[in-house]
Amino acid sequence: MNAELQGIGMTSRRTRMRLVQRLRDEGISDEQVLAAIGEVPRHIFLDEALSHRAYEDTALPIGQGQTLSQPYIVARMTEVLMAHKPRKVLEVGTGSGYQTAILAGMAEQVFSVERIRILQEQARQRLRKLGYRNVMLRLSDGGMGWPEMGPFDGIMVTAAPRELPRELLDQLADGGVMVAPVGEKTQMLVEVVREGDQFHTTEIEPVRFVPLLGGVVR
Ligand code: SAH
């Protein structure tokens, strides 16, 4: 690595550490999650024109009308999901691939579906460049889950359905956990834990996500 690149790497590491401190101040306490945020280079998942804002605690546009969630929300959702130690995780809404990378560092296998091809291809390139080998991506309507690969110990939904899709609940393993934003104008982040045929729902906090839409954009 040349000196200049190394310099950029170190600068982003330092700004990432500031972000980690901020997340701590905001109440994120899972050390593994904080370590993941400290390690994954969020700027790689953004357009170059926006990469200087990568370590602000704010949502940022990734094109196609979609957004990379605010780091606080990424951390919070990951913390809620990972409290259950899922090994096999489904993410709905790959988007930039940043949340996928955070999950891939913590779970054994990550399956992620996206409905917009161009976003999926960019995410694939970034994840490959960073060397993640335990991630499988698919272009499809994630509201249907990924039945061939289920059941999943953990499901993270990063776009908001009006109601939790039945298909996703069905693909949750017994004892599994789903974290999802639900609603339209006002949305609530919920945690759903499956116990046999019962689904126990806990409200986490109000959030704002792009809507979960049907169909694939090729
Ligand atoms: N996890 C992403 C968040 C991206 S925003 C990240 O870290 O960047 C939500 C994403 O969900 C968008 O890319 C959007 O295209 C996608 N999405 C919306 N509805 C979907 C659906 N039914 N199936 C798959 N992806 C969907």
Side-chain angles (χ1 to χ4, degrees):
M1 205 187 280
N2 67 35
E4 193 187 351
L5 271 181
Q6 205 167 4
I8 292 170
M10 279 170 58
T11 310
S12 74
R13 172 108 199 135
R14 217 174 299 134
T15 43
R16 278 209 290 286
M17 286 304 136
R18 262 206 297 274
L19 173 60
V20 167
Q21 185 53 49
R22 185 179 162 138
L23 296 178
R24 259 186 221 288
D25 296 344
E26 286 174 327
I28 304 297
S29 61
D30 183 321
E31 289 301 327
Q32 243 197 313
V33 172
L34 292 165
I37 302 265
E39 273 154 32
V40 178
R42 191 170 183 253
H43 64 276
I44 299 285
F45 294 90
L46 290 162
D47 228 51
E48 228 170 300
L50 280 172
S51 59
H52 67 286
R53 300 191 56 196
Y55 303 104
E56 292 175 19
D57 189 15
T58 175
L60 291 167
I62 55 173
Q64 317 300 311
Q66 306 304 317
T67 51
L68 204 179
S69 307
Q70 179 192 359
Y72 168 76
I73 288 295
V74 171
R76 190 81 184 97
M77 290 176 80
T78 310
E79 183 170 75
V80 172
L81 196 86
M82 284 299 157
H84 300 263
K85 306 206 184 314
R87 289 156 55 157
K88 186 171 158 191
V89 172
L90 172 69
E91 177 190 26
V92 176
T94 314
S96 68
Y98 175 70
Q99 173 76 72
T100 322
I102 297 280
L103 291 170
M106 301 178 76
E108 267 167 43
Q109 279 182 297
V110 178
F111 299 85
S112 184
V113 292
E114 171 56 56
R115 64 182 282 276
I116 303 180
R117 178 181 291 278
I118 184 162
L119 293 179
Q120 190 213 23
E121 300 210 318
Q122 285 172 345
R124 190 186 295 287
Q125 282 172 19
R126 292 159 175 160
L127 291 164
R128 188 178 297 149
K129 180 165 153 188
L130 293 174
Y132 290 99
R133 291 177 199 286
N134 57 340
V135 174
M136 270 181 80
L137 303 181
R138 176 162 104 156
L139 188 75
S140 65
D141 175 0
M144 309 304 244
W146 193 338
E148 299 84 353
M149 296 299 175
F152 302 96
D153 310 314
I155 299 180
M156 184 181 286
V157 186
T158 67
R162 257 190 273 176
E163 287 170 38
L164 292 176
R166 185 74 240 174
E167 289 79 359
L168 293 182
L169 293 168
D170 285 343
Q171 289 167 40
L172 206 53
D174 195 7
V177 58
M178 172 150 58
V179 180
V182 182
E184 284 181 282
K185 283 221 173 64
T186 58
Q187 301 169 1
M188 182 56 77
L189 187 66
V190 301
E191 173 194 43
V192 182
V193 177
R194 179 171 196 168
E195 222 182 87
D197 288 336
Q198 293 198 343
F199 295 89
H200 305 283
T201 304
T202 310
E203 293 190 345
I204 308 288
E205 58 188 88
V207 285
R208 237 202 122 98
F209 274 80
V210 296
L212 186 81
L213 301 171
V216 167
V217 183
R218 289 181 190 277

